[in-house]
């Protein structure tokens, strides 16, 4: 499938580089962190264990010395009770050599009576050695210190000996710490070796675990880049039962879904493209600079260009009216339509402004046929009106001649003929006026027109009809200038029609004509207190031949064409016309002229 990868490049490239950096640091962080923890833990274990082992070993040795002392106690007591001190010394020397333990016996005075390693007579008083003092207090004394006698670190155990015949004595057993340290250093070498092996094994395990975590992440990163590049067939091949396996399954499901959505989107786009290119109406989309974003085949045929994309519309459509239409739509930000000729054909160009995208979409409807029919209709109405005008005027003239010679009964009939002829003449004249207006819309003779003066003159004509119906007239005009650019005859026709209607459809009350300026533009209100127009009919009254009440219209001599003429004139002057009305209360027609420009 085709995916526009340019949509995905750019910013995402930056994030890929970040991801690569992140990957490296993730491995280092994880592995480095675990290494540090392992080293600290092993060092801590080694330190604590070597210290504990030494004190535990010393404890154990002290206990065995105590037990040994307890077992020797009776033998020593025997020698003491029998006063065989010299024999005791010899016994101590023999036994000490045998069991590699120093045996010393001290009396209450602190005098050494026997010692396995030294001559007792040469030895200093031992009364205040810590283990001896403790033993004389009745406890088992223990001490680890440097012996000044044998010049080495020793572990001492002092055991109190109490007999009925002899005074209190202390049996002291001691061991060279040197031996213990040799033993312990062997042990700690083994422990350190074990620690080292443990560390290496833990580091290797940490390396493998970290790699097993970061490897899938690397793969996820690699496949993500493929997907971001538009290759939705890329899959993660991680087969694992853990969370990463779940991530891989979800990722693969996600790419499948995206693939399906893209396929669906492409299919819809193709469908839409083929529909748009096959419709008869030309379609053109422009960006806010006026560059062509899209166009269909019909438009390309219309302008005779095959590839207008990215060109400016004025390079393709060289029509002043089209240029004006697009500029107005962009300025006024609203939908506008205009009829434009392309060669022998006429198109209704409908330009829609897309508010949120600031783009313009133009549709080109071929209305040549409708236009031709309209021209035929108009020509027909024109010729019929022209043809009817002369005979009708003749009929009217002859009826008036006949009236002079007719009797009372005949005069009644002639009156009916005359009224209907008048109606027909009115219709014919209104039709001719409309047809003329349609023809000359673009060729108005514009000049500055003073609307106040124009209305003053018109109201003069209506003085009599107003008096006949006993209606009051109010004319309000503020002091400012009341000029518009326009055709004075057409504008007169417009206001005559509006005031004529106001008089025709008002039985009592007043007619008010007001000129004022609102936001710099000229507004004229023609207000009456007449029968009013129902809301649902207000839009339709500007249609040709549309009358609300046929019999009333006939009675007042209406043709149903007056307001069509009014609307035409207003439009040709770019003026807006609005109607506000309440049945039974009255009607106001409002004309709003465009700003005055000379
Ligand atoms: P008409 O020649 O019949 O007056 P118009 O085109 O001038 O035709 O008006 C169309 C219809 O609009 C009229 O038939 C009438 O019903 C209604 N209308 C026009 N002006 C007024 C008004 N001032 N008050 C009430 N109804 C009006």
């Amino acid at each position: 499938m085709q995916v526009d990868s340019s949509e995905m490049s750019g910013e995402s490239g930056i994030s890929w580089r970040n991801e690569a950096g992140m990957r490296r640091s993730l491995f280092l962080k994880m592995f480095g962190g675990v290494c540090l923890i392992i080293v600290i833990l092993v060092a801590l274990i080694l330190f604590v264990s070597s210290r504990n082992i030494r004190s535990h070993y010393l404890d154990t040795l002290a206990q065995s010395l105590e037990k040994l002392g307890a077992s020797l106690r009776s033998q020593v007591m025997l020698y003491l009770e029998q006063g065989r001190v010299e024999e005791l010394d010899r016994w101590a020397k023999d036994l000490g050599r045998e069991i590699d333990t120093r045996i010393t016996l001290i009396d209450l005075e602190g005098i050494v009576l026997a010692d396995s390693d030294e001559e007792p007579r040469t030895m200093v008083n031992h009364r205040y050695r810590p283990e001896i003092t403790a033993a004389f207090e009745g406890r088992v004394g223990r001490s680890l210190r440097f012996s000044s006698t044998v010049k080495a670190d020793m572990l001492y155990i002092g055991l109190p000996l109490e007999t009925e015949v002899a005074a209190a004595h202390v049996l002291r057993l001691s061991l060279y710490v040197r031996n213990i340290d040799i033993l312990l250093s062997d042990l700690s070498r083994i422990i350190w070796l074990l620690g080292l092996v443990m560390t290496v094994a833990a580091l290797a395990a940490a390396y493998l675990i970290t790699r097993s975590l970061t490897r899938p992440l690397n793969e996820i990163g690699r496949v993500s880049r493929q997907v971001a590049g538009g290759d939705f067939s890329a899959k993660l091949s991680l087969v694992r039962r853990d969370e990463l396996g779940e991530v891989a399954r979800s990722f693969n499901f996600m790419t499948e879904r995206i693939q399906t959505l893209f396929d669906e989107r492409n299919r819809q786009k193709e469908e839409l493209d083929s529909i748009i290119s096959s419709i008869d109406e030309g379609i053109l989309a422009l960006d806010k600079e006026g560059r062509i974003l899209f166009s269909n085949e019909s438009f390309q045929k219309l302008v005779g260009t095959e590839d207008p994309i990215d060109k400016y519309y004025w390079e393709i459509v060289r029509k002043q009216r089209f240029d004006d239409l697009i500029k107005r739509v962009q300025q006024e930000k609203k939908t506008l339509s205009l009829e434009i000729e392309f060669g022998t054909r006429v198109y209704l160009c409908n330009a829609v402004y897309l508010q949120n995208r600031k783009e313009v979409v133009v549709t080109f409807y071929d209305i040549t046929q409708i236009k031709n029919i309209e021209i035929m209709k108009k020509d027909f109405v024109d010729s019929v009106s022209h043809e009817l005008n002369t005979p009708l005027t003749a009929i009217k003239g002859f009826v008036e001649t006949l009236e002079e010679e007719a009797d009372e009964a005949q005069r009644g009939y002639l009156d009916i003929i005359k009224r209907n002829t008048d109606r027909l003449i009115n219709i014919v004249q209104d039709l001719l006026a409309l047809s003329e207006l349609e023809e000359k819309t673009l060729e108005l003779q514009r000049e500055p027109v003073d609307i106040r003066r124009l209305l003053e003159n018109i109201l003069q004509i209506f003085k009599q009809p107003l008096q006949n119906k006993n209606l009051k007239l109010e004319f309000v005009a503020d002091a400012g200038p009341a000029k518009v650019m326009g055709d004075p005859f057409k504008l007169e026709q417009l206001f005559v029609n509006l005031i004529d209607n106001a008089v025709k459809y008002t039985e009592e009350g007043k007619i008010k004509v007001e000129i004022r300026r609102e936001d710099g533009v000229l507004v004229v209100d023609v207000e009456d207190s007449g029968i009013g127009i129902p809301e649902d009919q207000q839009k339709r009254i500007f249609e040709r031949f549309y009358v609300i009440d046929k019999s009333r219209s006939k009675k007042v001599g209406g043709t149903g064409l007056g307001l069509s003429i009014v609307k035409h004139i207003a439009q040709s002057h770019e003026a807006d016309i609005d109607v506000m009305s309440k049945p039974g209360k009255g009607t106001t027609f409002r004309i709003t002229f465009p700003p005055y420009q000379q």
Side-chain angles (χ1 to χ4, degrees):
M1 72 167 287
Q2 278 233 322
V3 177
D4 186 359
S5 60
S6 65
E7 288 171 25
M8 295 163 178
S9 57
E11 293 165 52
S12 45
I14 299 164
S15 67
W16 292 349
R17 278 196 296 278
N18 287 347
E19 194 187 304
M22 195 184 74
R23 196 178 64 227
R24 270 197 300 277
S25 76
L26 187 67
F27 179 81
L28 284 180
K29 268 188 204 162
M30 281 176 75
F31 185 58
V34 174
C35 286
L36 199 69
I37 292 170
I38 289 170
V39 170
I40 291 173
L41 277 180
V42 170
L44 210 69
I45 289 168
L46 289 180
F47 177 73
V48 173
S49 64
S50 63
R51 291 205 70 179
N52 278 356
I53 285 170
R54 193 169 195 272
S55 66
H56 180 76
Y57 194 74
L58 285 174
D59 261 0
T60 317
L61 274 182
Q63 276 167 20
S64 8
L65 282 181
E66 269 178 49
K67 280 181 192 147
L68 179 66
S71 67
L72 295 180
R73 184 183 276 150
S74 53
Q75 185 64 38
V76 174
M77 296 282 270
L78 194 69
Y79 280 119
L80 282 178
E81 277 162 12
Q82 292 168 0
R84 294 154 55 195
V85 176
E86 285 201 7
E87 265 178 67
L88 174 65
D89 184 52
R90 251 193 326 273
W91 171 82
K93 282 186 170 59
D94 291 343
L95 188 64
R97 219 173 299 121
E98 224 171 278
I99 58 172
D100 203 17
T101 304
R102 189 177 169 196
I103 303 164
T104 313
L105 188 76
I106 296 126
D107 70 5
L108 194 58
E109 305 295 312
I111 296 162
V112 180
L113 300 181
D115 188 89
S116 57
D117 290 20
E118 295 291 329
E119 206 43 54
R121 272 183 295 277
T122 60
M123 289 171 70
V124 294
N125 191 295
H126 274 52
R127 177 66 181 85
Y128 295 105
R129 299 286 197 272
E131 70 280 5
I132 308 294
T133 319
F136 280 127
E137 281 165 10
R139 292 181 278 122
V140 176
R142 185 190 290 185
S143 171
L144 180 72
R145 63 190 153 73
F146 185 77
S147 157
S148 54
T149 319
V150 293
K151 308 280 186 257
D153 277 333
M154 297 207 80
L155 171 68
Y156 296 100
I157 292 295
L159 295 167
L161 296 180
E162 204 79 58
T163 59
E164 282 143 32
V165 276
H169 288 77
V170 170
L171 172 63
R172 190 179 78 168
L173 297 171
S174 42
L175 270 179
Y176 288 100
V177 175
R178 196 178 346 112
N179 297 348
I180 302 167
D181 282 343
I182 289 167
L183 194 88
L184 279 180
S185 80
D186 283 349
L187 199 66
S188 72
R189 203 172 306 123
I190 291 167
I191 290 172
W192 277 95
L193 202 69
L194 212 66
L196 196 71
V197 171
M198 255 167 60
T199 311
V200 172
L203 291 184
Y207 176 80
L208 290 177
I209 291 169
T210 312
R211 211 178 53 158
S212 84
L213 282 176
T214 50
R215 253 201 186 163
L217 291 177
N218 288 351
E219 196 187 333
I220 292 173
R222 184 179 57 77
V223 177
S224 304
R225 280 194 293 281
Q226 268 177 274
V227 172
D231 177 9
F232 294 111
S233 60
K235 291 267 171 301
L236 279 174
S237 52
L238 294 176
V239 186
R240 296 169 65 127
R241 282 162 179 269
D242 58 8
E243 287 83 348
L244 282 169
E246 183 61 39
V247 167
R249 276 192 294 280
S250 305
F251 185 91
N252 289 341
F253 178 68
M254 182 186 77
T255 52
E256 269 168 36
R257 283 286 300 150
I258 296 177
Q259 169 96 59
T260 319
L261 288 175
F262 260 101
D263 287 349
E264 178 77 354
R265 194 196 82 153
N266 279 6
R267 197 182 51 73
Q268 283 175 352
K269 193 174 173 292
E270 276 162 23
E271 262 175 32
L272 206 67
D273 282 352
S274 63
I275 291 170
I276 288 176
S277 57
S278 67
I279 55 173
D280 282 344
E281 281 77 27
I283 297 176
L284 176 70
L286 305 173
D287 69 7
K288 59 174 186 281
E289 259 93 46
R291 242 193 303 254
I292 297 174
L293 292 171
F294 169 83
S295 71
N296 68 350
E297 258 176 52
S298 303
F299 172 79
Q300 289 156 19
K301 264 190 216 149
L302 171 68
V303 292
T305 312
E306 269 187 10
D307 187 17
I309 301 295
D310 274 347
K311 294 199 176 109
Y312 288 98
Y313 73 85
W314 53 84
E315 297 174 57
I316 305 292
V317 189
R318 297 174 193 277
K319 294 261 170 213
Q320 187 57 44
R321 276 167 68 74
F322 187 75
D323 197 39
D324 292 345
L325 172 73
I326 301 298
K327 283 192 177 131
R328 265 191 72 194
V329 168
Q330 283 171 335
Q331 267 165 19
E332 295 172 22
K333 299 185 181 3
K334 63 178 185 190
T335 301
L336 292 173
S337 306
L338 205 64
E339 288 172 15
I340 301 176
E341 281 176 30
F342 285 87
T344 53
R345 307 201 72 80
V346 185
Y347 286 86
L348 177 69
C349 301
N350 190 44
V352 180
Y353 186 76
L354 304 179
Q355 203 74 38
N356 43 357
R357 302 171 70 102
K358 298 189 172 54
E359 290 169 4
V360 178
V361 177
V362 193
T363 41
F364 298 77
Y365 299 95
D366 188 344
I367 52 163
T368 317
Q369 238 177 339
I370 301 168
K371 274 275 145 191
N372 287 342
I373 293 168
E374 250 179 39
I375 292 169
M376 271 166 60
K377 216 171 84 185
K378 189 177 155 307
D379 285 350
F380 174 75
V381 173
D382 262 13
S383 6
V384 170
S385 313
H386 275 295
E387 292 304 322
L388 285 178
N389 205 15
T390 328
L392 282 173
T393 325
I395 293 171
K396 192 182 170 190
F398 284 113
V399 169
E400 277 167 1
T401 320
L402 278 175
E403 259 184 339
E404 286 166 20
E405 292 157 19
D407 58 27
E408 204 55 37
Q410 286 169 332
R411 214 172 265 160
Y413 294 122
L414 284 173
D415 195 42
I416 295 170
I417 296 174
K418 199 179 139 200
R419 263 194 288 122
N420 279 296
T421 314
D422 276 344
R423 230 173 95 68
L424 274 173
I425 289 172
N426 279 348
I427 291 174
V428 166
Q429 274 170 358
D430 278 356
L431 279 174
L432 283 172
L434 253 179
S435 147
E436 186 205 16
L437 271 172
E438 277 169 0
E439 224 163 65
K440 295 187 178 166
T441 315
L442 301 169
E443 300 151 26
L444 274 186
Q445 297 300 312
R446 285 174 189 255
E447 58 185 79
V449 181
D450 185 342
I451 294 290
R452 191 185 299 125
R453 172 106 31 95
L454 185 93
L455 279 167
E456 277 166 2
N457 292 339
I458 295 170
L459 288 173
Q460 289 297 325
I461 317 168
F462 284 97
K463 258 201 174 140
Q464 196 53 50
L466 282 163
Q467 257 175 19
N468 293 349
K469 289 185 95 170
N470 209 10
L471 295 171
K472 265 197 277 171
L473 173 71
E474 211 178 303
F475 181 50
V476 184
D478 60 16
K483 277 196 178 160
V484 296
M485 279 302 281
D487 182 328
F489 297 107
K490 298 275 176 296
L491 290 173
E492 186 180 322
Q493 207 175 355
L494 180 151
F495 287 115
V496 166
N497 274 338
L498 285 182
I499 299 169
D500 185 46
N501 275 354
V503 178
K504 275 196 303 198
Y505 299 107
T506 307
E507 295 313 320
E508 56 179 33
K510 63 168 185 185
I511 309 291
K512 181 179 169 188
V513 179
E514 186 182 346
I515 308 172
R516 63 176 186 280
R517 295 214 144 252
E518 256 176 33
D519 302 327
V521 293
L522 196 74
V523 179
V524 181
D525 279 355
V526 177
E527 189 186 331
D528 64 56
S529 56
I531 58 169
I533 305 164
E535 179 136 17
D536 55 330
Q537 315 257 7
Q538 286 175 14
K539 272 226 167 78
R540 301 205 59 193
I541 50 173
F542 295 102
E543 292 171 15
R544 283 179 197 194
F545 295 110
Y546 191 82
V547 291
I548 296 171
D549 182 343
K550 279 207 174 91
S551 59
R552 183 191 282 266
S553 175
K554 254 186 216 160
K555 213 163 75 194
V556 295
T559 61
L561 290 168
L563 286 180
S564 306
I565 294 171
V566 167
K567 185 150 193 201
H568 248 287
I569 299 174
Q571 273 176 347
S572 61
H573 284 81
E574 281 113 38
D576 289 332
I577 177 157
D578 297 299
V579 57
M580 291 143 283
S581 182
K582 270 217 170 100
K585 289 259 160 34
T587 307
T588 303
F589 281 93
R590 176 166 297 162
I591 307 287
T592 310
F593 287 98
Y596 177 67
Q597 276 170 340
Q598 214 163 7

